[in-house]
Amino acid sequence: EDKIIGIQGVLTDITDRKQIEEELRKSEEKYRAVFENTGTATLIIEEDTTISLVNNRFEELSGYSRNEIEGKMSWTNFVVKDDLEKMKNYHKARRTYVNQAPKMYEFRFIDREGEIHDILLEVDMIPGTTKSITSLLDITDRKRWEEEQKKLQAQLLSVQKMESVGRLAGGVAHDLNNVIGAILGHADIARMELSETDPLYNRFSTIIDLCGRGARITGQLLAFSSKRNIQPKKINIGGLIKDLLSLLEKTLGEDICITLQIDKNLKTVAVDPGQMDQVILNLCINARDAMPEGGNLGISVRNIDIDHDYKKIHVSAKPGLYVLISISDSGAGIAPENIDKIFDPFFTTKASEGGTGLGLSVVHGIISQHNGFIKVYSEPGVGTTFNVYLPAVEGEPDKELSAKGNKIFQGTGTILVVEDDEGLLDMVDQMLKSVGYTVLTASTGEEALEVFTHNTNRIDLVISDIVLPKMSGKDVYENVKKIKPDVKVLFTSGYTADIIKKHFVEIDTVEFIPKPFSPMELYEKLEKLLSQ
């Protein structure tokens, strides 16, 4: 019978090994915790481009789970094709030569849904291995914000440039209006004294017609500078465009097919109908010029609600209700390098005999003056669309005024004329005296007050330029009203009626006549004021 006579064993102390294993486990947990909570999408990449480890952020960015990625997918699956070759070269160089590839750069990342993200990548090798660890920071929103800021800055610079040139154009046009106004007035007075059979009658008619052409040119400059005199009326812009249709068909020619679409229940807009005619005609003629062999011209009008987000892409846009006029052609389109220049004054792609280049700058000025804005979309070889946004206003359209017939005027009363332009002052003086008014004159505000003070009881009405040296037209108004509260005051200027609103914010009784004006226009205005 066998008996156990003893036991022999070997005991090994594994305390140190267990301690090391525990430290390794804790170290791995710590490493994993850091890896998972770096704040960026992080991954470890093998030499063969396989992704061996990813964190939660990478799962969120890519749209894939780690089970689908780790050991199965390559980092190349997530890179836009145009960026791939460059990044492959970096991957190889990083493992061949130390510091031969950039450790930080941008690239475009494709997620599971095919959406592209702008990414800032930071990568480095894990010491003693051929593995690399890479962190990805999604900067898509920042990039979009930067692009948005660039666009807004470009728009702002464009607006500032237009304003600077506009101020120059407006000043020149204002002074020229005074000269044209004086010539027009004298010619009109002279023609009124002649019979139609007199040989000089036609000569004066020619002078008056030429003055009218000159006034239209200064009007274009003032419209570009947003200082043209506007006489806004509440209208349905769709009706205005319908009325223009027959004129457009004759102007554009038979080889242009015009389609018109006007939505029902259009909002009312407050615009100067004459200037809106000019805007529509100008844009349609430009469209015709883009289609020399014929084509399609589409005009559509509809209501649109501009929200706060739209303002982010157009610096001039104010949130609210607008009426949108879209004019589209099937023409040659506008070259990308010219899109930002088309509203510049005197810029044109037409031949020297084809135009001055004032057309679109005038359109821009008119729309800006009406607190609207204009956008253009174009694709070479496909066509161009101009979108004109006009702010909607409350209320129904104004009723049409009946046309005025010719009338022989006989003036009574005394009028004080305040005008710093000597030629224009002399013209208005003769214009008024020719129909029976008694006229007193002054070339400055100070002189006007002196004349008014000595003739208070005689003076029935004051005609004053708004812009005067030293003492302004506003100062003249306030002082004569203190002396004689019931005196009538008529302002005149080559600038816009909006200037009056700016100077007389709380006064709603101010009357205005824009320069240049004809004798008949002035007589009608005076008759209305003096009969009140």
Side-chain angles (χ1 to χ4, degrees):
E1 183 177 334
D2 295 333
K3 292 183 179 179
I4 298 173
I5 60 174
I7 296 174
Q8 183 177 0
V10 178
L11 298 176
T12 303
D13 189 346
I14 61 172
T15 304
D16 291 342
R17 191 185 77 188
K18 294 291 282 184
Q19 221 168 1
I20 291 170
E21 288 176 351
E22 180 63 18
E23 288 176 2
L24 281 172
R25 185 185 64 78
K26 289 181 179 180
S27 178
E28 286 178 3
E29 286 180 355
K30 184 177 179 181
Y31 168 77
R32 187 73 196 197
V34 171
F35 185 77
E36 287 292 349
N37 297 283
T38 57
T40 59
T42 306
L43 62 160
I44 291 177
I45 299 171
E46 302 296 326
E47 186 173 9
D48 65 357
T49 76
T50 301
I51 298 172
S52 56
L53 195 64
V54 298
N55 67 357
N56 292 333
R57 288 295 180 90
F58 189 87
E59 289 182 290
E60 294 171 6
L61 176 65
S62 68
Y64 292 89
S65 70
R66 66 183 65 207
N67 290 334
E68 293 175 291
I69 300 171
E70 292 177 348
K72 299 170 186 174
M73 296 182 73
S74 165
W75 63 263
T76 58
N77 299 129
F78 300 99
V79 179
V80 169
K81 184 178 178 180
D82 290 345
D83 295 343
L84 190 55
E85 192 62 32
K86 171 188 71 177
M87 293 178 67
K88 281 183 176 179
N89 291 335
Y90 290 165
H91 178 88
K92 184 177 180 180
R94 190 173 291 111
R95 286 161 175 77
T96 306
Y97 306 103
V98 178
N99 297 324
Q100 289 300 302
K103 293 186 177 183
M104 183 180 291
Y105 58 91
E106 293 180 18
F107 79 101
R108 289 166 294 173
F109 181 99
I110 309 173
D111 67 18
R112 186 169 201 151
E113 302 301 324
E115 185 177 345
I116 296 176
H117 303 256
D118 290 299
I119 297 293
L120 178 63
L121 170 151
E122 187 169 4
V123 58
D124 210 344
M125 297 299 297
I126 298 175
T129 74
T130 57
K131 304 174 187 286
S132 58
I133 183 166
T134 305
S135 294
L136 308 180
L137 179 63
D138 191 342
I139 58 171
T140 306
D141 289 341
R142 191 187 80 186
K143 292 279 283 188
R144 287 174 182 167
W145 181 84
E146 289 174 350
E147 287 300 316
E148 184 179 297
Q149 294 305 303
K150 287 180 182 177
K151 288 179 182 177
L152 289 174
Q153 183 66 22
Q155 286 187 24
L156 181 60
L157 290 173
S158 177
V159 168
Q160 290 173 336
K161 178 176 66 176
M162 297 285 274
E163 286 178 349
S164 297
V165 180
R167 282 192 292 270
L168 173 63
V172 171
H174 173 262
D175 292 343
L176 190 56
N177 255 345
N178 284 343
V179 176
I180 293 173
I183 297 171
L184 177 62
H186 284 296
D188 227 335
I189 292 169
R191 188 175 67 171
M192 290 167 64
E193 296 174 356
L194 301 172
S195 69
E196 293 187 12
T197 58
D198 192 302
L200 291 177
Y201 187 91
N202 288 335
R203 291 188 180 275
F204 280 113
S205 294
T206 301
I207 293 171
I208 291 167
D209 289 341
L210 291 171
C211 286
R213 289 174 60 184
R216 284 193 291 275
I217 293 171
T218 58
Q220 286 189 330
L221 288 170
L222 288 167
F224 160 66
S225 67
S226 296
K227 291 179 180 176
R228 186 178 181 180
N229 304 304
I230 64 170
Q231 297 177 336
K233 293 184 174 71
K234 289 184 178 181
I235 68 167
N236 181 316
I237 198 74
L240 180 145
I241 294 173
K242 280 182 182 177
D243 292 342
L244 275 177
L245 188 58
S246 60
L247 176 61
L248 286 172
E249 289 172 342
K250 293 174 184 176
T251 303
L252 302 184
E254 296 179 356
D255 55 351
I256 303 295
C257 178
I258 304 174
T259 57
L260 181 61
Q261 181 180 349
I262 300 176
D263 285 4
K264 295 180 180 179
N265 303 318
L266 281 180
K267 296 290 184 182
T268 303
V269 294
V271 297
D272 183 315
Q275 291 199 25
M276 283 303 115
D277 283 349
Q278 185 177 354
V279 167
I280 303 302
L281 284 168
N282 196 304
L283 292 177
C284 289
I285 290 169
N286 266 10
R288 179 202 63 189
D289 293 343
M291 302 181 287
E293 298 179 2
N296 299 312
L297 175 68
I299 305 173
S300 68
V301 191
R302 63 187 177 91
N303 298 323
I304 186 170
D305 189 357
I306 300 296
D307 60 18
H308 288 271
D309 288 335
Y310 191 87
K311 184 173 175 63
K312 295 177 182 177
I313 61 173
H314 195 283
V315 72
S316 300
K318 294 180 180 178
L321 291 174
Y322 288 75
V323 175
L324 169 61
I325 306 168
S326 296
I327 298 177
S328 304
D329 66 62
S330 58
I334 302 170
E337 64 270 19
N338 290 333
I339 283 285
D340 294 333
K341 305 174 187 176
I342 59 171
F343 295 114
D344 288 358
F346 309 111
F347 174 80
T348 179
T349 57
K350 299 176 184 178
S352 57
E353 68 277 7
T356 63
L358 268 176
L360 286 177
S361 62
V362 168
V363 167
H364 184 280
I366 291 173
I367 299 305
S368 297
Q369 193 174 358
H370 285 84
N371 299 315
F373 61 98
I374 184 168
K375 296 283 286 181
V376 59
Y377 303 91
S378 187
E379 187 174 338
V382 177
T384 301
T385 296
F386 283 90
N387 286 332
V388 175
Y389 296 80
L390 296 172
V393 297
E394 296 293 330
E396 296 297 318
D398 296 334
K399 293 181 180 179
E400 291 295 324
L401 298 176
S402 58
K404 298 177 180 177
N406 291 329
K407 185 176 179 181
I408 302 300
F409 283 90
Q410 183 60 49
T412 56
T414 301
I415 297 175
L416 170 61
V417 182
V418 190
E419 171 60 60
D420 63 323
D421 186 283
E422 185 178 346
L424 199 56
L425 180 63
D426 181 53
M427 183 273 293
V428 177
D429 180 38
Q430 292 186 40
M431 191 183 287
L432 296 176
K433 286 178 178 176
S434 69
V435 292
Y437 289 109
T438 301
V439 183
L440 303 173
T441 62
S443 56
T444 66
E446 293 86 350
E447 185 183 349
L449 287 183
E450 185 177 348
V451 172
F452 191 87
T453 301
H454 289 93
N455 299 275
T456 303
N457 294 328
R458 293 177 57 203
I459 295 173
D460 302 293
L461 185 142
V462 177
I463 299 175
S464 177
D465 194 358
I466 295 174
V467 182
L468 294 168
K470 297 182 181 178
M471 180 179 286
S472 69
K474 176 186 177 181
D475 295 329
V476 172
Y477 175 93
E478 291 174 344
N479 280 281
V480 298
K481 281 290 186 179
K482 288 178 183 177
I483 299 169
K484 189 176 183 180
D486 62 343
V487 69
K488 309 292 185 191
V489 179
L490 174 62
F491 283 98
T492 182
S493 177
Y495 288 131
T496 173
D498 290 344
I499 289 181
I500 296 180
K501 293 178 183 177
K502 181 179 178 181
H503 286 301
F504 300 93
V505 177
E506 298 176 358
I507 298 176
D508 57 5
T509 57
V510 174
E511 295 289 342
F512 175 77
I513 185 170
K515 298 177 185 176
F517 46 81
S518 69
M520 293 295 287
E521 289 174 322
L522 180 60
Y523 300 153
E524 287 180 352
K525 198 77 174 177
L526 293 176
E527 183 186 52
K528 176 185 173 183
L529 283 173
L530 291 172
S531 65
Q532 291 176 352

